[in-house]
Amino acid sequence: MNVPTSDLCRELEARGVSRREFLGFCSAMAVMIGLPKSAAAAIADALENKPKPTLVWLEFQDCAGNTESFLRSSKPTAAEVVLDLLSIDYHETIMAAAGHRAEEALDSVVKNKQGQYIAVVEGSIPTGANGAYCTIGGKSALQIANEVCSNAAAVIAVGTCATFGGLPAASPNPTGALGVADAVPGIKTQINLSACPVNAENLTATVVYFLTYGRWPATDALNRPLFAYGKSIHDNCERRAHYDSGQYVEQWGDEAHRQGHCLYKMGCKGPVSFQNCPNVGWNDNTSWPIACGHGCIGCAEPDFWDKMTPFYAHLPGFPGFGKASNIDKVGFWGTVGVAAAFGTHTLIHLGKKLVGSGGEDKPADPTKGSEGGDA
Amino acid sequence: MTHIVVDPVTRIEGHLRIEAEVDGGQVSNAWSSSTMFRGIEIILQGRDPRDAWAFTQRICGVCTTVHAIASIRAVENAIGAKPPPNARILRNLIIASQCIQDHVIHFYHLHALDWVDIVSALKADPAGTSTLAQSISNWPKSSTTYFKGIQDRIKGLVDRGQLGPFGNAYWGHPAYKLPPEANLMAVAHYLEALDWQREFIKMHAILGGKNPHLQSFLVGGMATPVDPNAQAALNVHSIAAFKDMIAGAKQFVSQVYIPDLLAVASFYKDWAGYGAGVGNYMVYGEYPLNDESNSPLFIPSGIIRNRDISKVEAFDASKITEHIKHSWYDYAEGDDKALHPSAGETKPNYTGPEPPYERLNTSEKYSWLKSPRYDGVPMEVGPLSRMLVSYVQGHEQVTGLVNAVLKKLEVGPAALFSTLGRVAARGIETQILVDKIGDWVDELAANMGSGELRIHDNSKWEPSSWPKESTGAGFHEAPRGALGHWVHIKDAKINRYQCVVPSTWNAGPRDAGDTPGPYEAALVGTPVADPEQPIEILRTVHSFDPCMACGVHVVDTGGREVTRVKAR
C-alpha cells in the first residue's frame, strides 16, 4: 500500500480526463442524485480520499444485460473512473480468475470483509427442483445468495429479475424464481434498481451517493431511489404536450409517428411506469425508447411481463383520450394492480375512477389533460 | 405441446460447466453441461405473438437483439407480414453493429486474458511498447508516455493490493508467450476497447432507444420512423451520426483489433493445431440484400462436412433434430428419439445430483442443453463456420481477407480448423462488416431522399388479419452462430414456441448415439500443462465465445478430482 489512495488525479490523467472535467462530472452527479450543486465538492472529496470499498457482483438467472449496461456507463471516461474506485473482487463476466480461484476470491471477501462489502445481484433466484435450475460451482443460486447477501453491508439488486423476479418469474414461473428480497429474507439494507436492464446512470449515481455520504439514497415503497424512480415516465415525457393536445400515433410509420406524437394508442405504458428515462436517457443520453418511436413497456415495474402485456394494447380510459378506447384490449385489472402496487395517489385515484366509470371512454378535455399522470 | 428445448439464456449467457479428463498432459475426454434453466418458451405460451420478441430478447443481454430478430422473423413468416425495405435496412444495421461490437468485446474483454498476462506488462519498457505499436499500426495512441501512464495505472492496482477483477488469476503461467512489451500494448487496448464499445453502440440507442435490449422491433417492420424532414424520426442527423460512428469503428478495427489479433496470433501459432472440434460447419446466412423472400444474403448459408472445403452443401431446415438422452428432459416416445424443433417436446426432469454437488454423472443426463443435430451429425456454428462457407463459395471480401491473414501468419487453410482459426475468423468477419455496414446507411439515405419512408406492414398488424392457425420459422446469424426460432400460432396466441440457439449447437452434450458435441470434441487433445491451472481449456472453450459462466471440471484418468474451473 505504498501508493496513496488519493491518486485519482493520476488515474484520471492516464485516461485523458482533466480535473476540470472531473469536477464537472461531480456537479452533474450532484444534480442527478438530487443534491445542491455545492455538494459537488463533497462528492469530489469522497471520491478522491476514501479507500476503495469492495464490491462483489453475483449473476443467477440472468442474461448479463445489467452487466452489459454497466459496461456502457456514460459520462464516458469519468464515470468509468468512478466505478474503478470500487474494488470489484468478484464478477464472473469480467474477472480474470477462473474456477476454484474465482470461488476463493468470493469466499475471501465474505470471510474477511464481513459486513463491509457491497453485493450486487443480477438475475432471479430459482427455488424449484431444490435449486438445480441454477448452480454455480455445484452450489445453488439460493445457497450462494444466502451466504453472500446475508453478510454484506448492503445489497444492490440490479434489473427487474433480481429486484422483483422479472422474466423467469413471469407466469407460470416454471422454476419458482424470486427476487433477492423474497429469496433471502432479512437483508437489512437493500436498494432496488429495477428496469430491464438497469440504466447504468442510476447504478453509478447510487454508488456515488453511498461513497459520498456513507448512507443510501431515499427510496420509494419498493426500495427504489427517489432520484431515479420518483416520477412517472408520463410526467416527464417529451411527448406529453401531444398527449395533452390529443395528438396520437394511429399507425406505425404514419405522419403523427414521424412528427413524434403521443404513443398512448400504440400501447405506451409510460403513465403507469416510474423511471427517469426521459430525464437521463440511455447510452449517455443518446436516446430512450419513446424518443426512438416505441412505447414504454414498463420494464421497471414489478410483474411487468404479466401486468403490462399485451404491450401493444393501450391503457384504459385516460383523460384526454378519444373514442377508440376498448377496455377489452388491455390488461385492465392488471393495470389497476400495478397502480395499487405503487400506492401513488394519482394512480389509485385513476384506478378508482376507472372502476367507477366501468372503463367507459372519457371525452377529450385538454384543460384537464395533465390530471391523469400527475403524481 | 412444445416446451423449451433448454433455457436459451443458458446457452448464450447462462452458466456452463465442463468436466474433462486429462491424460498424459492433454484432455482425453470432456463433457459440457449447462446448469441454468429459466423456461422462457413455457412462459411464452398463450401470449400475443407480437410481444414475443421482447421476451426472447432477454434470453441474452450480451448478444442483445439477436432473439428479437429471430422472433419477429418467425412470427412474420407465420402470419405473412412483409416488412418494407427500410425495415430490412434498419435490421441489417442493427445486426451488423451488434456483431461488430460483440466481437470486439469478446476479443478484448472475454478472451484476451487467456493470451495476455497483465502482471507481465509491469515489466515492460514503455519505449519498447511504443516501438512495437508503431511498427504494426498507425493508431495514434502509441507514445511512450501513453504506455507509461497505462503501466503506472496497473502498478497502482497491484501496489494497493486491490487488483479487483484481475486478482487471483493464472498470471505467470508458462503458457503465456507474449513478451512484456506486447502484454502492455494489449492491456492498453483492453482499456481503449472498453471506451470504444460504449461509444460505438450508441448506434443502437439511435436505432432502438437503448442498449442493451433495444425497443424498436415490431412484427412487420420497425418502430423507428424515417423522415429527412422530421425531428422525431431518423433523419439526416442520424445518417451523419451513423457515418461518424462507422468511421470510428473502421479505424478501431483496422488499426487496433486486427493488428493486435495478428500480433498475438503470431506468438501462439501452435494453437492452430488444437481445438479442431467436430469439423462440420453450418450457416443459416444473414443480411438480406433485397426484399424478396429468396434475397441473396451478404453472408451466405451452407453446410461443410468433415473439413472438406472443396464443396458447400445447401442448408435444409427440415434436417434439424434434437436429442435428449443426456439432457434433463423426457420425450414421450423415449429418450433415444430425435425430434424436429417444430414438433419438439420439452418436459424438464432434473435427475442430477442435489446441490451442493461435486460431480455430475456424465454417463447419464448431465445438462440443461439438448443436443441439436443436422442430418444426424453435430455442427459447429459461429464466425468460423460463416467465414469458411463464404470462403469456399468464393465470397470476394472474405476470400481476400482470409488469404491475407493466412499469408501473414504463414499457415495454410487447414490452420482454420482450430482454436486459433476461430479467433482469426471472428476478427476477419468484424473487418468485413465494418467495411460493409456503411452501404446500408447509404441505402437508407437514398430511400429517405426518394420519399420511401415506409417502416411497417400495417396490413398484418391486427390479429383479425391473421390465419386462424399458422406456423413459422425465423433464422438469424447471431454473433455466436446460427439461431432459429419456431412458432405455432393458434387463435392469435402462441401455442408453441421453440428456440435453438448457437450455444445449443456448440455446447450441447452427447447425443442419443453418445457422439460428443462441438465443445466436447474440440477439448479432446487440448494440452494441459498444469491441471491446477488449466488455462488451455479456457482458450479452447472461449474461442467459441460461449458467453456464459462455465464450470470446467478437470478429472485425471484415475478418477481423482483435481480442480474445478469456472470460465467466462
Side-chain angles (χ1 to χ4, degrees):
Chain A
M1 299 286 281
N2 24 9
V3 172
T5 50
S6 60
D7 64 346
L8 177 69
C9 288
R10 196 176 63 178
E11 292 195 7
L12 288 166
E13 276 160 20
R15 306 227 126 192
V17 180
S18 70
R19 178 149 180 89
R20 193 163 144 264
E21 286 171 311
F22 172 67
L23 291 175
F25 166 79
C26 293
S27 298
M29 268 298 156
V31 172
M32 170 112 179
I33 59 184
L35 301 171
K37 278 222 170 189
S38 56
I43 292 177
D45 182 59
L47 295 183
E48 285 180 307
N49 297 319
K50 290 183 184 166
K52 282 183 173 184
T54 298
L55 182 147
V56 295
W57 184 302
L58 306 175
E59 290 172 275
F60 298 126
Q61 281 180 307
D62 75 315
C63 73
N66 299 288
T67 291
E68 286 284 334
S69 193
F70 164 73
L71 296 179
R72 311 282 187 275
S73 294
S74 56
K75 308 287 175 289
T77 324
E80 193 194 321
V81 172
V82 169
L83 289 169
D84 216 10
L85 291 182
L86 297 168
S87 187
I88 302 178
D89 287 7
Y90 183 88
H91 188 318
E92 285 171 57
T93 306
I94 59 172
M95 69 194 300
H100 67 284
R101 295 236 186 153
E103 289 177 313
E104 275 169 23
L106 183 59
D107 291 347
S108 156
V109 171
V110 173
K111 209 169 289 168
N112 301 326
K113 296 186 175 162
Q114 195 170 12
Q116 298 167 50
Y117 61 90
I118 299 168
V120 172
V121 180
E122 172 173 13
S124 54
I125 298 170
T127 56
N130 284 326
Y133 289 127
C134 180
T135 61
I136 300 160
K139 285 185 187 171
S140 72
L142 190 58
Q143 287 160 348
I144 297 168
N146 267 311
E147 285 169 20
V148 178
C149 296
S150 306
N151 289 300
V155 175
I156 304 177
V158 292
T160 303
C161 294
T163 49
F164 307 129
L167 180 56
S171 174
N173 193 351
T175 61
L178 296 174
V180 181
D182 290 327
V184 186
I187 294 173
K188 279 189 198 127
T189 304
Q190 180 173 336
I191 298 291
N192 284 332
L193 301 176
S194 55
C196 191
V198 65
N199 190 335
E201 307 299 339
N202 293 335
L203 175 58
T204 312
T206 301
V207 170
V208 169
Y209 195 111
F210 175 73
L211 291 179
T212 307
Y213 294 112
R215 58 183 152 80
W216 297 93
T219 58
D220 67 9
L222 295 167
N223 289 331
R224 305 183 299 185
L226 292 171
F227 71 76
Y229 301 89
K231 290 193 112 181
S232 75
I233 297 270
H234 191 61
D235 281 351
N236 290 323
C237 184
E238 65 199 43
R239 300 188 178 200
R240 179 59 180 269
H242 295 293
Y243 171 88
D244 292 345
S245 306
Q247 295 175 312
Y248 301 106
V249 177
E250 304 279 348
Q251 274 198 326
W252 301 113
D254 67 8
E255 177 66 15
H257 195 203
R258 295 201 290 274
Q259 295 304 325
H261 291 180
C262 178
L263 289 158
Y264 180 58
K265 282 191 179 182
M266 308 311 283
C268 182
K269 305 298 187 285
V272 290
S273 302
F274 289 73
Q275 205 182 167
N276 54 353
C277 303
N279 309 75
V280 301
W282 283 79
N283 302 91
D284 200 16
N285 207 2
T286 301
S287 188
W288 64 291
I290 288 175
C292 178
H294 191 285
C296 168
I297 62 171
C299 72
E301 305 310 324
D303 303 325
F304 81 96
W305 294 106
D306 293 326
K307 291 183 173 166
M308 300 291 184
T309 50
F311 289 130
Y312 300 102
H314 63 72
L315 294 166
F318 259 65
F321 185 63
K323 287 186 181 297
S325 174
N326 178 351
I327 202 75
D328 294 326
K329 292 172 79 173
V330 305
F332 169 68
W333 289 107
T335 304
V336 173
V338 169
F342 289 102
T344 66
H345 174 78
T346 302
L347 288 168
I348 286 175
H349 177 63
L350 168 70
K352 281 178 183 162
K353 217 155 99 178
L354 290 168
V355 173
S357 71
E360 285 169 18
D361 295 345
K362 293 281 172 189
D365 182 352
T367 61
K368 293 185 178 171
S370 62
E371 190 184 341
D374 284 348
Chain B
M1 198 174 85
T2 302
H3 295 271
I4 178 177
V5 173
V6 112
D7 181 341
V9 178
T10 62
R11 297 175 191 153
I12 295 194
E13 174 35 43
H15 305 274
L16 180 79
R17 173 188 183 100
I18 281 176
E19 299 197 11
E21 284 175 357
V22 175
D23 192 11
Q26 60 179 23
V27 175
S28 57
N29 216 341
W31 293 268
S32 164
S33 168
S34 164
T35 63
M36 198 266 270
F37 174 80
R38 298 193 300 180
I40 291 173
E41 290 95 330
I42 297 168
I43 291 166
L44 279 168
Q45 285 168 23
R47 296 184 186 262
D48 187 329
R50 295 171 297 180
D51 289 351
W53 68 263
F55 285 76
T56 59
Q57 180 165 221
R58 271 70 183 182
I59 287 168
C60 183
V62 173
C63 36
T64 183
T65 76
V66 309
H67 292 277
I69 297 273
S71 179
I72 53 179
R73 284 178 175 169
V75 176
E76 285 163 359
N77 180 240
I79 65 173
K82 296 208 176 345
N86 287 332
R88 168 184 54 84
I89 296 165
L90 294 174
R91 290 176 188 179
N92 280 356
L93 286 171
I94 288 172
I95 296 166
S97 48
Q98 172 65 23
C99 199
I100 291 165
Q101 189 238 19
D102 206 30
H103 283 356
V104 172
I105 287 184
H106 176 263
F107 182 76
Y108 285 103
H109 306 124
L110 303 180
H111 204 13
L113 300 183
D114 297 341
W115 314 99
V116 173
D117 184 338
I118 288 189
V119 172
S120 151
L122 294 176
K123 294 185 214 128
D125 170 11
T129 301
S130 174
T131 306
L132 168 68
Q134 289 172 10
S135 74
I136 63 170
S137 171
N138 294 325
W139 183 245
K141 288 185 169 181
S142 62
S143 70
T144 301
T145 318
Y146 173 68
F147 288 119
K148 177 76 168 58
I150 300 289
Q151 194 179 39
D152 285 350
R153 188 152 188 268
I154 302 299
K155 190 166 183 299
L157 292 175
V158 174
D159 289 348
R160 283 180 190 192
Q162 285 192 306
L163 272 151
F166 305 122
N168 223 25
Y170 301 143
W171 310 131
H173 192 290
Y176 283 117
K177 302 289 189 199
L178 296 183
E181 284 70 27
N183 280 319
L184 178 57
M185 181 179 75
V187 170
H189 294 166
Y190 174 105
L191 295 171
E192 286 178 42
L194 209 48
D195 287 340
W196 172 83
Q197 58 87 22
R198 187 181 55 228
E199 292 305 303
F200 177 64
I201 213 59
K202 288 179 181 174
M203 256 187 94
H204 275 190
I206 297 172
L207 290 163
K210 70 199 238 288
N211 171 288
H213 296 333
L214 284 63
Q215 203 159 306
S216 60
F217 298 104
L218 292 175
V219 166
M222 294 297 292
T224 28
V226 171
D227 186 342
N229 298 309
Q231 292 180 14
L234 294 177
N235 55 26
V236 285
H237 282 302
S238 323
I239 298 291
F242 294 152
K243 292 203 165 196
D244 186 51
M245 291 170 187
I246 289 168
K250 238 180 194 172
Q251 192 188 10
F252 190 84
V253 171
S254 57
Q255 293 186 8
V256 183
Y257 178 16
I258 300 298
D260 281 357
L261 169 63
L262 293 171
V264 171
S266 68
F267 286 93
Y268 291 104
K269 280 199 233 174
D270 50 332
W271 282 85
Y274 305 125
V278 296
N280 304 316
Y281 303 91
M282 182 176 75
V283 182
Y284 294 161
E286 192 50 271
Y287 308 109
L289 298 171
N290 68 41
D291 300 285
E292 304 305 319
S293 58
N294 61 350
S295 163
L297 302 171
F298 179 61
I299 299 294
S301 74
I303 304 281
I304 290 173
R305 296 194 198 230
N306 302 317
R307 291 173 209 133
D308 177 2
I309 53 171
S310 69
K311 58 178 187 282
V312 169
E313 199 179 298
F315 163 69
D316 174 359
S318 72
K319 291 185 175 171
I320 297 170
T321 56
E322 290 189 297
H323 299 234
I324 55 139
K325 182 182 173 188
H326 290 286
S327 314
W328 288 311
Y329 305 96
D330 288 339
Y331 274 171
E333 299 293 316
D335 291 358
D336 56 343
K337 294 288 181 291
L339 301 178
H340 188 268
S342 66
E345 310 171 5
T346 305
K347 189 181 167 200
N349 180 22
Y350 184 73
T351 55
E354 188 170 322
Y357 58 82
E358 290 296 321
R359 289 277 300 272
L360 290 170
N361 183 354
T362 50
S363 61
E364 304 288 332
K365 294 172 183 285
Y366 61 89
S367 181
W368 284 114
L369 294 184
K370 284 185 181 178
S371 308
R373 293 295 181 260
Y374 180 84
D375 203 14
V377 298
M379 288 280 159
E380 175 174 339
V381 299
L384 176 58
S385 299
R386 289 194 285 262
M387 294 302 98
L388 284 172
V389 164
S390 290
Y391 184 70
V392 175
Q393 294 185 338
H395 188 290
E396 189 187 340
Q397 295 95 322
V398 173
T399 308
L401 209 49
V402 168
N403 285 337
V405 168
L406 294 176
K407 192 176 167 200
K408 178 92 183 166
L409 295 175
E410 300 169 322
V411 292
L416 292 166
F417 308 121
S418 68
T419 297
L420 192 63
R422 267 175 221 111
V423 180
R426 194 169 288 112
I428 290 167
E429 178 169 68
T430 311
Q431 181 70 57
I432 301 284
L433 289 175
V434 290
D435 289 342
K436 177 67 184 173
I437 188 171
D439 290 358
W440 292 312
V441 176
D442 291 342
E443 201 181 348
L444 182 67
N447 281 357
M448 277 186 194
S450 69
E452 168 58 270
L453 306 181
R454 291 175 299 153
I455 53 167
H456 187 250
D457 176 3
N458 297 129
S459 74
K460 297 287 183 189
W461 182 246
E462 289 301 328
S464 56
S465 66
W466 304 348
K468 187 170 166 43
E469 189 170 352
S470 59
T471 58
F475 298 103
H476 171 44
E477 281 295 327
R480 291 162 183 80
L483 168 64
H485 284 201
W486 284 261
V487 66
H488 176 204
I489 300 167
K490 199 173 169 186
D491 298 326
K493 301 227 182 301
I494 293 169
N495 188 49
R496 183 196 305 136
Y497 204 99
Q498 191 116 16
C499 317
V500 183
V501 312
S503 292
T504 325
W505 285 100
N506 288 339
R510 283 152 171 74
D511 60 23
D514 292 331
T515 303
Y519 284 13
E520 296 177 331
L523 281 169
V524 172
T526 292
V528 177
D530 174 6
E532 290 289 336
Q533 301 187 65
I535 190 171
E536 302 92 339
I537 286 179
L538 300 185
R539 287 177 178 172
T540 291
V541 171
H542 281 156
S543 74
F544 285 93
D545 191 2
C547 188
M548 30 189 174
C550 316
V552 182
H553 203 109
V554 181
V555 177
D556 72 11
T557 44
R560 185 177 63 88
E561 179 183 322
V562 288
T563 189
R564 191 164 60 224
V565 179
K566 216 170 291 158
R568 178 58 73 156

